[in-house]
Amino acid sequence: MASTFFTQTSLPSKSFNNSLNTHFIPSFKLPVSLSFTPRASVLKRLSVRAGLIEPDGGRLVDLRVAEWERELKKKEAASLPKVKLSKIDVQWVHVLSEGWASPLTGFMRESEFLQTLHFNCLRLDDGSFVNMSVPIVLAIDDSQKERIGESNSVALFDPDDNLIAILTDIDIYKHPKEERIARTWGTTAPGLPYVDQTITNAGNWLIGGDLKVIEPIKYHDGLDRFRLSPAELREEFERRNADAVFAFQLRNPVHNGHALLMTDTRRRLLEMGYKNPILLLHPLGGYTKADDVPLSWRMKQHEKVLEDGVLDPETTVVSIFPSPMHYAGPTEVQWHAKARINAGANFYIVGRDPAGMGHPVEKRDLYDADHGKKVLSMAPGLERLNILPFKVAAYDKTQGKMAFFDPSRAQDFLFISGTKMRTLAKNKENPPDGFMCPGGWKVLVDYYDSLTPSDSGRIAEAVPA
């Protein structure tokens, strides 16, 4: 897992300094008609001990039906209209089913969609807010809408035609694609990866409702053992007697600058009085764009980082976050942070340009590099989460290792960008000693070597994960 988060404990409130404290947003009222009411029947109360922050809404959602119910649900599904899901839709079913989006109980109905799109949060019955910054929706086309007709439920099938869930108490409403794209990404420029994959050619309608997941989502790729649900993560943190949990998300290989940040964060927590801070290393495991290193290779690289002793296995939990990647910058980073609250984390380390990407048309970053951390410190519904901005790490030529950047001797530091790192790996060249552990670097070189020309002379193309 690649995100850094910390769980609230019974210890006195602590902060690194005033500038890092999460800012509280003044409450504001929405019309009652837009309030979001989780259905009690699908909310399962999780026993939350003093050491772990409560899930959003106070309850961790689990939408997977009990094993004894599965055959009954399969029989029920046989008589329902059928909706076939894309690979990314299935990833969202996975996210919803395990409670990462608690208190959501299924794909968004129109009221939840509008609140998310316009307010980046959902209002609960008690007047409180939970953050929800990206729409989790299911698109259907005109013919599917017509086949559904007056039915109150539909059966959901994966791309291989396997039944995976039933969606009940459905709500079908218009899919405002342009508005959705503009509000989520802040631009409608062509070339946004997630938009191209899931929205541009999607249906003109959205269907929301309560999910009843019949078959737990498995990928059978050798990595399912790393896909711990929020409930399983909480159990693991409690087993390790964690009094703080810090999560670090990334979609890239771990270099020694990342490791320096994570180990320094643990040191600071210990100095604050925590006894056993646990790192949640939480790589994103859903859809990523074609030029990102695929999940399987990233997991191999993370494993080497632990084997080589760069991170301590005793104080690190490695798991996969199943969400697809939007590349929506400050809007999406709120989702990444919110989901980790549900996994038990109450500190979130955020870096430069989180969830960002280059502008798809112009030669610049799509988002201001500092806006992500600023937005997180102000976002409604994330008040319980302590936001910890990255310190800048670079290669210190005088020490031969990654170190925190010292502007007073800037000439001693070398910044190795992701582009530079990829170029070195593609050319089978080594970075400076101390930039990345040797085992981890070899994995990266092997990945790019796998893309070199085949016997036919054609270069293997990277594909979206």
Side-chain angles (χ1 to χ4, degrees), residues 111 135 157-158 192 224 346 430 449 451:
S111 60
F157 288 75
D158 70 13
L192 298 169
D224 282 333
N346 69 346
N430 290 325
D449 191 44
L451 302 180

Side-chain angles (χ1 to χ4, degrees), residues 1 46 52 60 62 64 94 98 100 218 224-240 280 317 319-320 342-344:
M1 304 189 181
L46 179 75
L52 296 179
L60 191 59
D62 186 345
R64 297 165 292 186
H94 184 179
E98 294 182 343
W100 293 101
K218 301 293 180 184
D224 282 333
R225 70 186 187 279
F226 291 108
R227 293 183 173 95
L228 302 182
S229 69
E232 290 168 332
L233 284 170
R234 286 171 173 271
E235 290 173 5
E236 180 62 19
F237 298 147
E238 290 178 347
R239 187 188 70 79
R240 296 194 186 203
L280 171 60
V317 175
S319 182
I320 294 171
N342 286 330

Side-chain angles (χ1 to χ4, degrees), residues 390-404:
F390 264 35
K391 291 182 180 180
V392 178
Y395 187 78
D396 188 339
K397 294 180 286 187
T398 66
Q399 299 185 57
K401 65 178 184 179
M402 298 296 286
F404 291 123

Side-chain angles (χ1 to χ4, degrees), residues 256 395 397 400-401 414 416 420 424 430-436:
N256 288 354
Y395 187 78
K397 294 180 286 187
K401 65 178 184 179
L414 176 65
I416 302 174
K420 177 65 174 175
L424 290 171
N430 290 325
D433 289 342
F435 171 73
M436 185 183 291

Side-chain angles (χ1 to χ4, degrees), residues 122-151:
L122 299 173
R123 186 187 185 203
L124 305 184
D125 278 352
D126 63 3
S128 64
F129 295 91
V130 296
N131 191 271
M132 183 57 68
S133 63
V134 297
I136 302 179
V137 293
L138 178 60
I140 57 173
D141 59 26
D142 292 349
S143 62
Q144 289 173 310
K145 180 178 181 291
E146 186 174 347
R147 285 198 302 272
I148 292 168
E150 299 300 316
S151 178

